[in-house]
Amino acid sequence: MTKAKATKPRSSRLEPVVWSLFAAGGTVAALLLPVHVAILGIAYAAGWLPSDALSYDHALDLVRHPITKVYLGVLVALPLYHAAHRLRFVIHHQLGLHGGRRLVAAACYGTALAGTALTVVTLVRI
Amino acid sequence: MSGTQDGRSPAYVRPMPRTWWLRTHRYRRFALREITSVAVAASSVILLTLLFALSRGRDAYEGFLGWLDSSGAVVLSAIILVGVLYHTITWLRLTAHIQVVRLGRRVLPRRLVLAGLLTLWVAVSAIVAYLHIWL
């Protein structure tokens, strides 16, 4: 049995922000992640790429460009908010853990925030 | 029937078995769509790991490339790729469902909006692949 809980008006202030990040992240993930996973995860190991496509010097050149940095920041960070929002409800709906709603939300969005910080710091240091 | 402790309007919550989402085809598809978020998160983590390795220098980066070449990484990537592809298809269908596109007075049919989004996805993927591999 689950307890009925009245929705708290307090949380609704953040709802538009959370939803915008969820939607933006979902779109970035949908349009951009498959090609990156296919290149790095499959094409590289299969030997379909030119020999220096992922070489250290080439990768460094590419990633040091400011436009690439902005692109990579968006590519890595935004999908984290999408995943955080969905995983939050996977934990409640699919795993059947109905308690600790605030804790689960804080853990999910907190992880996305930490991932964003790590991404920004990493990109700045390259 | 049960009332809430704080005296607000009583609400009856129907007890649900934990596996409700396995019951029908529709529920299972919904659950699968939500679970693709694990693949989305994993993709981000892999990309972040690559960037982190790159920031640590040549040895770390080449170590990461060595991992990408392992059979374990390929199997994991294949699973993640299936997940993100499923996310792409369902997300673009969802977008076509929500986003109304008007041309003058006419509303573009959903099928055409979806076709446009899929074309956009293929074009963007081709551009990314070109810049990533040959630039």
Side-chain angles (χ1 to χ4, degrees):
Chain A
M1 275 294 281
T2 56
K3 273 185 277 181
K5 266 193 182 170
T7 46
K8 294 180 182 67
R10 222 175 67 81
S11 64
S12 64
R13 248 189 316 160
L14 275 178
E15 194 112 343
V17 180
V18 167
W19 254 88
S20 306
L21 286 169
F22 165 72
T27 304
V28 167
L31 293 178
L32 297 172
L33 284 183
V35 64
H36 283 284
V37 174
I39 290 173
L40 295 175
I42 311 286
Y44 175 69
W48 297 337
L49 305 182
S51 55
D52 73 328
L54 292 186
S55 72
Y56 178 72
D57 298 309
H58 184 200
L60 210 55
D61 267 359
L62 199 59
V63 174
R64 277 193 173 149
H65 196 286
I67 294 176
T68 319
K69 285 195 181 185
V70 172
Y71 171 80
L72 287 170
V74 169
L75 174 71
V76 175
L78 275 183
L80 290 177
Y81 295 90
H82 171 82
H85 191 69
R86 274 195 168 163
L87 280 174
R88 184 183 156 202
F89 292 104
V90 165
I91 288 167
H92 295 315
H93 298 156
Q94 270 75 53
L95 298 184
L97 305 171
H98 293 285
R101 297 228 158 207
R102 278 190 177 186
L103 184 71
V104 169
C108 288
Y109 300 132
T111 307
L113 281 170
T116 306
L118 191 58
T119 307
V120 171
V121 170
T122 303
L123 284 171
V124 167
R125 286 173 66 185
I126 287 177
Chain B
M1 295 288 269
S2 65
T4 46
Q5 291 95 328
D6 55 3
R8 267 185 270 213
S9 60
Y12 171 68
V13 179
R14 194 161 63 101
M16 291 278 269
R18 275 188 175 214
T19 52
W20 64 268
W21 50 277
L22 286 172
R23 274 198 180 158
T24 70
H25 189 56
R26 217 172 254 270
Y27 289 168
R28 281 193 294 270
R29 273 208 328 233
F30 160 75
L32 201 59
R33 191 192 79 191
E34 298 300 295
I35 291 167
T36 60
S37 54
V38 178
V40 168
S43 308
S44 266
V45 169
I46 288 177
L47 286 164
L48 180 54
T49 311
L50 179 143
L51 293 176
F52 190 71
L54 193 62
S55 76
R56 298 299 296 266
R58 188 182 290 272
D59 285 351
Y61 180 73
E62 280 168 3
F64 179 77
L65 286 187
W67 177 75
L68 276 187
D69 219 3
S70 69
S71 51
V74 174
V75 171
L76 184 67
S77 301
I79 295 168
I80 292 172
L81 184 59
V82 171
V84 288
L85 282 173
Y86 194 76
H87 166 74
T88 299
I89 303 297
T90 51
W91 188 261
L92 295 186
R93 277 184 55 180
L94 214 63
T95 309
H97 224 79
I98 296 165
Q99 187 63 53
V100 177
V101 180
R102 287 175 203 281
L103 281 181
R105 284 178 151 190
R106 292 187 52 219
V107 172
L108 218 58
R110 260 180 213 150
R111 275 185 303 124
L112 278 182
V113 177
L114 180 60
L117 287 169
L118 289 171
T119 311
L120 176 71
W121 170 51
V122 172
V124 165
S125 301
I127 292 168
V128 168
Y130 175 76
L131 294 176
H132 194 335
I133 298 169
W134 285 287
L135 195 71

